[in-house]
Amino acid sequence: MKRYKRIFVIVLDSLGIGAMPDSPEYGDVGVDTFGHILQSAGPLSIPHLRRLGMLNLHPCPQMDSDPAPAGRFMRMAEASRSKDTMTGHWEMMGLRVEKPFKTFTEHGFPPELIGELERRCGKKVIGNRSESGTKILDELGEEEIRDGSMIVYTSADSVLQIAGNEETFDLANLYRCCEIARELTMRDEWKVGRVIARPYVGKKRGQFVRTSNRRDYALKPFGRTAMNVLKDAGLDVIAVGKIHDIFSGEGITRSLHSDSSVHGMEQTCDICREDFTGLCFTNLVDFDALWGHRRDPGGYAREIEKFDVGLGRLMELMGEEDLVILTADHGNDPTYTGTDHTREYVPFIAWSPSLGKGGPLPEADTFAVIGATVADNFGLEMPEGTIGTSRLAELL
């Protein structure tokens, strides 16, 4: 059987394609990230996504589908009980998360945790609520600089974030405080998926800008994944964007930090120009962070169009032994209420220059078909305890 030498898995972070049957249990009724973006801001200039079958997979009245799509495509349902970034990515690589990570969106972190964090860090905590990072900097940045306090906040994700001004709350001290927060939030009652250092610069409201010195302190996956077996077999596992942070470095041979989703696609194209054998795993976070959580369908639409340009460049670079899989980790409908992720199906769109006829595949009941397919391609067994069934035979 023919095998691919290189597989590119690209996560369009939060680009869901419609509500799952259990979405109302998560407070998500009638959500549809991609469909509602097209309703609000379409039609879009996405010739490459259209060619691969995105509009065949998810028909929308604002745009025509391709009569002869080049990609193989299907919907994937999430098996894990969550709509979190880490859960979605871990499931892609074979892990089913039965117990969701803790979130503190409604009321902020409990006083016991905040008190212990203040005592050990030697700083007063301000903020302590779910908020946009840029908004909370504008509101509290001047106070943090003036009083030597630290801004602690969360989001819809299972995350504790600490913002600090690089000029007054030096990076080493900010990282130290985040390490303390990570230690504290290992307790079951406070366990969050990630602690994030959010350094910024500027002296007054309207001038604050977050820097690229962000650092994530994530939980390690609770089991071995498809990435581990690839690495153990001597294959390349290249992480682009926040993949390294999501997996806490597990199963990765090389990682690249991205400044934006456009930059992440440029890096992916650069990697495609290299000679490697294995997996390139890319996360493009701006869809989620800049537009989904901020409920900006117009910005989200423009981001999809920018991605399509990068996708076209990647497709031009790909060879006969290359396969690309486009997917998402959850939804984040920018037309829905609140700022939370939304529980949705996600796309699976696969293409190779050597792929035969395009068209639909049977719907998958887990994101883990991705990891199983990648492992199968390289003749490897998935680790014990993982989920997912390979779809490789349908992609050759």
Side-chain angles (χ1 to χ4, degrees), residues 21-298:
D22 65 357
S23 293
E25 298 175 23
Y26 295 78
D28 302 327
V29 178
V31 291
D32 183 353
T33 299
F34 183 67
H36 289 160
I37 288 169
L38 261 65
Q39 287 181 17
S40 176
L44 306 182
S45 176
I46 50 172
H48 303 100
L49 280 169
R50 181 177 178 273
R51 177 189 168 199
L52 297 191
M54 182 65 170
L55 292 158
N56 303 79
L57 173 62
H58 191 52
C60 298
Q62 294 78 17
M63 296 182 67
D64 293 329
S65 59
D66 193 300
R72 304 302 308 273
F73 48 85
M74 64 183 174
R75 290 194 312 184
M76 298 190 300
E78 185 165 12
S80 299
R81 297 289 296 170
S82 181
K83 53 180 180 178
D84 177 81
T85 295
M86 285 178 60
T87 301
H89 284 77
W90 287 10
E91 183 170 319
M92 288 177 208
M93 293 294 114
L95 299 179
R96 177 171 179 163
V97 179
E98 299 289 352
K99 186 177 181 180
F101 300 117
K102 294 285 187 180
T103 58
F104 297 90
T105 304
E106 292 188 10
H107 304 294
F109 299 102
E112 296 81 5
L113 171 57
I114 294 299
E116 186 68 9
L117 190 61
E118 289 179 328
R119 185 186 68 80
R120 292 187 57 180
C121 292
K123 284 180 172 286
K124 176 187 175 183
V125 167
I126 56 176
N128 189 25
R129 66 175 187 271
S130 178
E131 190 58 87
S132 155
T134 52
K135 183 176 178 181
I136 205 164
L137 285 186
D138 268 348
E139 180 181 334
L140 298 177
E142 292 180 358
E143 179 181 348
E144 186 256 328
I145 294 169
R146 182 184 67 244
D147 299 342
S149 49
M150 65 180 180
I151 302 169
V152 174
Y153 64 107
T154 188
S155 69
D157 268 339
S158 176
V159 62
L160 183 154
Q161 304 184 73
I162 302 180
N165 189 286
E166 290 194 5
E167 298 174 3
T168 58
F169 189 157
D170 69 275
L171 278 175
N173 196 27
L174 176 60
Y175 295 156
R176 179 187 70 88
C177 292
C178 287
E179 289 167 2
I180 291 170
R182 176 70 279 177
E183 178 187 341
L184 292 173
T185 55
M186 291 302 293
R187 301 182 191 175
D188 284 343
E189 65 269 27
W190 299 338
K191 188 170 285 185
V192 295
R194 286 176 294 159
V195 171
I196 305 177
R198 289 286 196 177
Y200 67 98
V201 293
K203 291 182 169 57
K204 61 182 181 179
R205 181 177 303 174
Q207 297 180 352
F208 298 129
V209 178
R210 295 195 294 197
T211 75
S212 60
N213 291 317
R214 162 180 170 162
R215 184 172 292 181
D216 289 46
Y217 302 81
L219 294 174
K220 289 184 180 293
F222 59 81
R224 287 167 51 79
T225 71
M227 297 159 69
N228 293 110
V229 297
L230 263 65
K231 181 179 179 181
D232 291 350
L235 296 166
D236 296 298
V237 182
I238 305 171
V240 179
K242 65 178 185 178
I243 296 296
H244 180 278
D245 297 328
I246 291 169
F247 289 88
S248 198
E250 290 292 304
I252 294 169
T253 61
R254 176 187 170 199
S255 63
L256 290 82
H257 168 79
S258 303
D259 294 328
S260 67
S261 289
V262 169
H263 183 217
M265 281 304 292
E266 291 171 350
Q267 292 170 308
T268 303
C269 288
D270 287 341
I271 292 165
C272 191
R273 295 184 179 97
E274 301 175 4
D275 183 18
F276 75 94
T277 302
L279 171 67
C280 174
F281 197 2
T282 298
N283 174 278
L284 305 176
V285 71
D286 288 351
F287 301 97
D288 187 54
L290 296 185
W291 316 118
H293 286 304
R294 297 179 187 179
R295 294 303 189 246
D296 185 346

